[in-house]
Structure formats: structure tokens, C-alpha cells
Amino acid sequence: MSLNLSHMRRNSAHTSLDNAIAEEQRFLDQAIERRDQLAEHLRAELDTEISDALERARHRMLRRQHEELLRAQDGLVFGRLDALDGTVRHVGRIGIQAEDQGDEPLLLDWRAPAARPFYTATAIDPQGLARRRHIRTTGSVVAGVDDEPLDGAAASAEDDAAPSELVGEGALLAALDQRRTGRMSTAISTLQREQDDIIRAEATGPLIVQGGPGTGKTVVALHRVAYLLFTHRQMADQAVLVLGPSPRFLEYIAQVLPALGETAVVAATCDTLLPGVEVGRDESREIAEIKGRALWQPALEKHVASLLPRARDLKLRWEGEFYVIPAATVAQALASAVPGRAYHRARLIFTEQIHSLLAEAVAEQRAALLEEMEHGYEDILARFDRGAKPGVAHASSSDVDGLLSEEEIDELRERIAENEPIARFIESWWPTRDAGQTLRDLLSDPALLADFAPALSPEEITTATAVVPEAWSSSDIPLLDAVADLLGSVDAGVKQGEFIADQARGRRDWVYGHVVVDEAQELSEMQWQMVLRRCPSRSITAVGDIDQAEAAHRHTTWAQAVRAAFGERWTAAELTICYRTPREVMELTGPVLEKAGSHNAPPRAVRSSGIEPWQRTVTLGEVAALAQEMQGRWTGGTVGVVAPVARVAALRGVLGDVPVLTATQAKGLEWDATLLVDAEGIAAEPRGWNGLYVALTRCTQELGQLILV
């Protein structure tokens, strides 16, 4: 009887699951059909002719909506919320409007406030829900469902186990166990509560998010971009800047935001923020640390200010005559043009004032000459009048009026502005300047640098000025950016493009609606200044792990890292749960963090791979065979090798297509399995214990450590 009862229960469970899958398949079919209808309607709208600027703006909006619908292919529907009152809502990648305008949306956008309980409701805090359902799809087919009762109905009276801290645990762990492809995917169906809290946090000031390896820092950062662009539509008019640590990292995350329907995004590294400027040389960590300090900002401001001209008499020639603009007048023009403006902007305003002053001087001199002529003419008339016969008319002085009208003075000013000799004179007195040469002038003059940066020691000044850069290093870029900003653009023209992101990408002085910084612990104080220039509103989200910092600066806490940029005006948040790295690997990190001088507890791993980390002593030639074995075990996934800088070239020579990276290059990446070669060599590098912490935590399943002999 008990066997039959067990069999009946299994059959009932299978039937219930089949029914649930069939139910969700019907809804998915309906959502796909409605999505396609909306896309076709928008396509027809876009085929209409554009007659004016208003129509162009409307077409841009419709095009964004159309592209969003087209991108919403995989995972269109991934969740369902069953409320205690019987209301059922489905949650998906995008919102889809029902055919009846008065109805609720057919599909809730995951970013909508009504969808938030999908990420935050728990059995302890069900938020009015009876059940949450995770829906797994493959293309247009429902592959499975996972139900989470939230009303306590499924809890056994004898079950006193603590509730899981994970939302949608089954779906989450299934996603974490999937093979890695070398590209990041979206995680909108498995976001956890502490991640969602950060994604939906206010964007009114700097938010600094500390998160150890595998806590989903990058997932949070990118989904926060999508959430903010959805919630604050005006941000799309300014674009959002995403700063990553390396081009490889940007390639890794490249498809996430487009998959979420967002295109008003510019992705870059600090090295690529200046249009047309590339890093062309390496520099020592010592020099990089010196050049990364905040003291360079006031030093560069003083340097550029010293290049401004001083007031003196300006002697200008116009149509064969010399005119002098007195020093006092020049000083007044400088005082109105310079304060609060970039060098070239102030120069432009001052030049316009000189054109006006010269035009006025020409008009005044002409008036004076005419007055002299008129006095002489009146003497002649007086003598003529005394000898004239009665009744004979004569000319009056009022008939002679050679004064320039306002329109004539404006025309004169325009002619002066187009005069090349005057332009050359102003250029010689107040020259236009190149940012690169201006910076090189400072970096090649120890005495000048000592004057403008007194906080640097004589030894540091000698180090910083030892090489005059022809090609730029990574640590030069923030200094060059600061000089370019202080000088300003010579060309006031604005580069246009069809999309906001294209316009923003081509302009150094673009002001973004929001900036997201990933691996933010690596930024120097001068790189933070680059961020602030692009987002003066300080609407910034920075995610990172201060314990993984490998940059040349000496910061070991977030307060030290951001004090120069934000002072005390920033908000801290923390991600505490490690989803990626298995418990077996995280257990190795405690001693490494201690040696790195960490002030933080490592994140708590919530999953186990069942594979203990292993270690072998091998020759260089044997590494390839081990890598092949590992690739065989993780077919369809990825394997990566992390090694000290000194070992990378040799390993790449024997490993072929297996990626071999330094700890710095591996930051932010993940593989199914990692081969860690020569851990002691990594630990011996500058900030090597931090690097080793990075190297240990790249895998989702298996870690092998190799000692080379």
C-alpha cells in the first residue's frame, strides 16, 4: 500500500508540474504574439515620413521602443507572482501592454515597482504573496518552473529549519551551475534581495558598494544602469557612462545592457575616456603612485593659470592707423573673461571684447577727427557768411554728420573679427595651447613642478620628471584629462550623431546623467577626478572589493580611496553573499585576506561544488596536459589560467587557446575551472596577496593549484 501511495504521489507531482508548464507555455505564447504585434505596429509608425524636429524626436523614441521589443527574445517571461487575493502577475524582461488599454499590463517590466516583490518577498515577509514562480525558458519554449510558496502553506509543522536566505533558491543554484561561456549574461530572473536593494537605491549622490568575489557586483552595477534608465527617463538624454577595468572586461559584459534593452550607455576604461588619446607606454608603480595623487589637480590649475596673459597696453593696427587699448581697460576685460572659465573659453570671450573695444576706438577716433574738421569748416563758413549777400543760403554744421551708426559699428566689429593680422596679434599675446604640450612642459621642468606642487618631495619631483613623455602612460591620462579640461576646447562646435551614446562617446566634455564604476578600488585619486568631471551632479555608483585592490595607490579602505573626491558625502552599501565561488574555495581565502591587511570579513558562500581544491607539482610542459584534462571535464564551459606576470609569456607558449592572465587581467572574470600557477609568485608581486585573493576566486566549480619546478 505504501509503495502504491508513493507512486501515486509521484504521478500527482508530475501531473501538477506538467500542468504548470503547459499553463506557462500558453501565457508565453500570448506574450510573444502580443510583443510581435506591438513591434509590427511600431515598424509601421517608423515608416512614416518625418516632417519636423518634433517628428524626429518621436521617431527616436519609437525606434528605442522597437529595438527593445526586438531584443526581448530569450527570457521574455521569467516569473509569476500569485497574490493572496488571487491576483496573478507575470514578470519579464520588458513590459508589454495588454490589448485593452484599461487592463493591467500583460507583462510587468522587472524594473517596475509592482515587480519588486519578485526579488524581495520571503516566507517571513511575503508582501501579500501566496507564491512566487520562476519560469525557465529556452527560446519560445517553457522548459520548467520552480514554485516557492510564501504563505507558509507548504511548511511542515515539524520543520523548524531556518528559512533560506536566498530568493528563488532552486532557480538561482541552477543558473549558477550552468557552464560559463566567456560572456556575462543577464541575471534579472535570479537577483537577490540585497542586490535588488542596491539596484533600486536612490541616485542622488555617490553610492560605494563593497562586495567580495562572487557577490554579483558587476551584475548589480549593470542592472542598476538598466533600472535607472527605466525609472529616470531623462538620464537617457544624457547617457550613462560605465567604466570598467580593462577592454577584456568590457568585452565580457558587452551584451548585457543591450539584452536589457538599454542603448544610451557608453562603456569605457579610464585609459580610453579621452577621445583620440591612447596609452602607448608602461610606467613604474612608483611613478604611477606619485601621479595618481589628488595634489596634481591644484598643481595643474596653478600651472594653467600661470599661462594666462597679464594686462598691458595693447597696440593694434587697423587700416593703417594704430590704436591703443590701455592696460587698465585690458585688465577689466581680463577680469570679466577669466574667472570660472577654461583657458580657451576665457580667451574667446576676451577676444570678442577686444574686437568691440577696437571697433569703439576706431569710431571714437573718427568722431574726433570729424569734430576737428567741423570746427575748421565752421570758421570758413563764418568768413563766408560775413561776405555773403542777404538771402543766399549756406551749409549748416548739422548737415555734416559722419558719426558711425550702431549698425555700422557692428559691421566694423565683424570685419575686425575676420582680420588675420589682428588674429595673429592676439594669438601671439594669448596663444591657443595644446593639452599634451602643456603637460609635457610641466613634467619636464622640476623647478616649475616644485613651485606648483610643493607637497611633492625633491626625490618625488626628480622621479616624476625623469622622463618627458612622448607617448602617454596610464597614469598620464588623468593628468592630461585635467589639463584638457582646464584649457577647454578651441573648437566650440558640437559633434552630432543619431544616438546619444555616439555623441557622448566623441566628446571629452560630455556630462553624463549617471556614472557606474566597476572595480572601483583600482581608481587613483586623479582618476576619480576624471569621473567627477563627467558627472558633476555626483550621481555615481561605484562597486568593487577593496581587498582585491592591486593598483599602485596605497588605499586599504574605501574612506581612504574616495575621500579626495567625495569627502564624507557618500553612502556605503555591502554585498555579503558569495554566489559564484564555492565554499570549498572560499575556505582558502581567510589566511590570504589576513596577509593582505583586510578590514573586511569574506563573503559567505551559499553553494558547494562538491569538488575540493587540489594541488600538484609539475613542469611547464605538463601544464598543457592538465589544462586539456580540465577542459574535458568542463566541456561546454570555460577554463582559465592565472599566473604571475613573469610566467605568463611562457605559459601562453604551451597552452594555445587557453586564456592565460595575470591576476590583474583576470579581475572581474569567471570560469568554470581555474588553474592557478605559482601562487607564491603572485603573492610576491606588488600587493600580491590582494592579487592572490583575486586569482583564487575566479572559478565557479573547480580550482587546481600548480607548483612549477
Side-chain angles (χ1 to χ4, degrees):
M1 176 68 73
S2 61
L3 287 177
N4 288 335
L5 182 60
S6 176
H7 181 70
M8 290 172 62
R9 285 175 175 169
R10 284 198 300 273
N11 286 341
S12 176
H14 282 305
T15 300
S16 178
L17 179 61
D18 290 342
N19 289 339
I21 290 175
E23 180 184 18
E24 299 308 336
Q25 183 66 60
R26 287 191 295 273
F27 181 83
L28 178 60
D29 293 342
Q30 181 185 2
I32 291 173
E33 182 180 3
R34 181 60 179 155
R35 179 201 63 195
D36 293 345
Q37 287 176 353
L38 291 171
E40 182 59 32
H41 174 73
L42 289 173
R43 181 68 264 167
E45 288 282 317
L46 289 169
D47 287 339
T48 60
E49 293 186 3
I50 300 174
S51 58
D52 54 28
L54 187 62
E55 281 295 314
R56 281 194 294 274
R58 180 172 177 271
H59 266 237
R60 284 195 296 270
M61 179 189 70
L62 294 177
R63 189 181 297 109
R64 285 198 299 268
Q65 294 174 351
H66 185 252
E67 290 172 352
E68 185 179 66
L69 289 170
L70 293 182
R71 288 194 183 95
Q73 300 295 328
D74 293 335
L76 175 64
V77 181
F78 57 76
R80 171 173 150 169
L81 299 172
D82 292 13
L84 290 169
D85 64 4
T87 302
V88 174
R89 293 185 176 93
H90 281 83
V91 181
R93 185 178 298 277
I94 59 171
I96 294 181
Q97 186 180 7
E99 289 192 52
D100 186 340
Q101 297 283 342
D103 289 346
E104 284 197 358
L106 176 67
L107 183 64
L108 276 176
D109 190 295
W110 69 275
R111 297 161 289 191
R116 192 173 191 194
F118 185 78
Y119 303 105
T120 58
T122 63
I124 296 174
D125 178 24
Q127 300 176 35
L129 296 181
R131 180 179 66 180
R132 172 174 43 228
R133 170 173 287 177
H134 285 264
I135 302 166
R136 300 192 306 277
T137 61
T138 302
S140 59
V141 177
V142 175
V145 299
D146 293 298
D147 284 340
E148 280 183 280
L150 298 172
D151 60 356
S156 168
E158 296 80 25
D159 185 8
D160 59 355
S164 171
E165 61 186 331
L166 302 178
V167 172
E169 182 174 9
L172 173 65
L173 296 180
L176 293 173
D177 281 335
Q178 289 178 355
R179 294 288 191 265
R180 267 42 190 176
T181 64
R183 292 290 186 93
M184 174 173 280
S185 59
T186 64
I188 50 176
S189 64
T190 56
L191 291 171
Q192 298 299 295
R193 182 167 190 156
E194 69 173 13
Q195 295 175 324
D196 188 73
D197 287 343
I198 293 170
I199 288 169
R200 298 175 193 260
E202 290 296 323
T204 54
L207 175 66
I208 310 298
V209 182
Q210 162 63 28
T215 54
K217 298 182 294 296
T218 301
V219 164
V220 166
L222 297 179
H223 287 70
R224 178 160 169 76
V225 171
Y227 170 77
L228 291 175
L229 286 170
F230 174 84
T231 307
H232 305 285
R233 295 295 186 181
Q234 72 277 10
M235 280 189 184
D237 296 330
Q238 296 175 273
V240 171
L241 173 64
V242 175
L243 278 181
S246 66
R248 180 183 287 270
F249 175 83
L250 296 182
E251 181 182 348
Y252 174 60
I253 67 170
Q255 80 285 2
V256 175
L257 287 168
L260 293 172
E262 302 302 344
T263 57
V265 179
V266 174
T269 69
C270 286
D271 288 350
T272 63
L273 267 182
L274 270 174
V277 177
E278 296 181 355
V279 171
R281 68 186 182 93
D282 294 326
E283 203 162 50
S284 71
R285 289 179 65 87
E286 180 185 11
I287 296 177
E289 190 279 322
I290 293 171
K291 288 184 177 179
R293 299 179 196 172
L295 62 85
W296 284 87
Q297 185 63 38
L300 294 169
E301 290 171 3
K302 293 174 186 175
H303 177 42
V304 172
S306 73
L307 303 176
L308 293 168
R310 301 297 179 256
R312 67 173 176 84
D313 290 347
L314 296 184
K315 189 176 182 180
L316 301 168
R317 183 167 182 164
W318 177 252
E319 294 185 342
E321 297 290 336
F322 284 101
Y323 299 86
V324 175
I325 311 297
T329 303
V330 173
Q332 290 177 350
L334 286 170
S336 65
V338 170
R341 294 188 177 93
Y343 176 96
H344 289 125
R345 178 62 181 163
R347 181 186 184 278
L348 176 62
I349 291 174
F350 177 84
T351 300
E352 291 173 349
Q353 293 186 44
I354 288 297
H355 294 159
S356 295
L357 289 169
L358 179 56
E360 291 168 6
V362 171
E364 289 172 2
Q365 183 161 315
R366 176 168 179 169
L369 289 172
L370 288 173
E371 186 175 354
E372 290 179 10
M373 291 172 61
E374 187 172 338
H375 283 308
Y377 185 49
E378 287 175 346
D379 290 340
I380 295 172
L381 287 176
R383 291 195 299 272
F384 174 76
D385 286 343
R386 285 195 295 271
K389 294 179 180 181
V392 176
H394 60 81
S396 167
S397 62
S398 61
D399 296 328
V400 182
D401 184 3
L403 296 179
L404 296 179
S405 66
E406 288 296 328
E407 291 79 7
E408 289 171 323
I409 292 176
D410 288 341
E411 291 175 5
L412 175 60
R413 187 185 301 112
E414 291 176 5
R415 289 168 54 210
I416 289 172
E418 295 170 357
N419 184 267
E420 290 188 8
I422 289 177
R424 288 195 297 269
F425 175 87
I426 294 175
E427 176 66 27
S428 66
W429 184 69
W430 190 335
T432 54
R433 296 186 182 274
D434 173 71
Q437 190 55 52
T438 301
L439 179 58
R440 289 186 182 98
D441 290 343
L442 180 63
L443 294 177
S444 64
D445 191 332
L448 199 62
L449 183 56
D451 188 26
F452 294 140
L456 291 175
S457 70
E459 294 76 19
E460 289 171 335
I461 289 172
T462 299
T463 300
T465 58
V467 177
V468 180
E470 290 302 322
W472 300 112
S473 70
S474 182
S475 55
D476 288 325
I477 299 297
L479 308 186
L480 185 61
D481 185 64
V483 174
D485 182 68
L486 292 165
L487 290 177
S489 175
V490 177
D491 180 9
V494 177
K495 293 182 178 179
Q496 296 295 331
E498 182 179 3
F499 298 105
I500 290 294
D502 295 330
Q503 296 180 38
R505 193 176 290 109
R507 290 185 56 183
R508 179 202 58 78
D509 58 349
W510 188 269
V511 174
Y512 290 90
H514 192 79
V515 176
V516 168
V517 186
D518 204 338
E519 301 295 345
Q521 74 278 356
E522 303 301 337
L523 268 62
S524 69
E525 291 173 338
M526 285 303 293
Q527 286 173 325
W528 278 115
Q529 292 296 323
M530 294 180 76
V531 174
L532 279 179
R533 277 190 285 277
R534 286 155 178 82
C535 192
S537 68
R538 301 191 175 197
S539 180
I540 297 167
T541 302
V543 302
D545 182 3
I546 201 70
D547 294 324
Q548 295 185 53
E550 295 180 87
H553 58 67
R554 301 168 185 173
H555 308 139
T556 58
T557 67
W558 283 113
Q560 294 171 348
V562 302
R563 184 179 296 123
F566 306 138
E568 305 301 323
R569 301 181 64 181
W570 54 280
T571 302
E574 187 173 7
L575 294 167
T576 62
I577 302 171
C578 174
Y579 307 100
R580 176 187 66 214
T581 312
R583 292 191 189 96
E584 294 86 348
V585 174
M586 287 304 296
E587 288 173 356
L588 303 176
T589 63
V592 175
L593 280 177
E594 184 177 348
K595 291 177 181 178
S598 171
H599 301 274
N600 302 304
R604 293 173 287 115
V606 295
R607 55 184 287 272
S608 171
S609 68
I611 304 172
E612 290 296 327
W614 50 268
Q615 181 173 298
R616 294 186 193 175
T617 300
V618 298
T619 65
L620 180 63
E622 293 172 321
V623 176
L626 287 173
Q628 288 179 353
E629 288 179 17
M630 192 172 270
Q631 285 181 312
R633 285 195 294 276
W634 300 104
T635 300
T638 56
V639 174
V641 177
V642 187
V645 175
R647 300 273 195 187
V648 167
L651 286 166
R652 286 176 178 168
V654 300
L655 285 174
D657 61 351
V658 179
V660 181
L661 306 176
T662 66
T664 300
Q665 293 168 336
K667 194 182 300 293
L669 305 181
E670 62 179 32
W671 303 289
D672 293 277
T674 302
L675 274 178
L676 173 55
V677 179
D678 190 6
E680 290 186 359
I682 293 176
E685 294 176 336
R687 298 193 81 158
W689 291 108
N690 301 82
L692 184 55
Y693 182 50
V694 173
L696 283 169
T697 54
R698 296 306 94 196
C699 71
T700 64
Q701 303 291 343
E702 179 182 1
L703 172 67
Q705 298 189 64
L706 304 182
I707 302 171
L708 291 183
V709 294

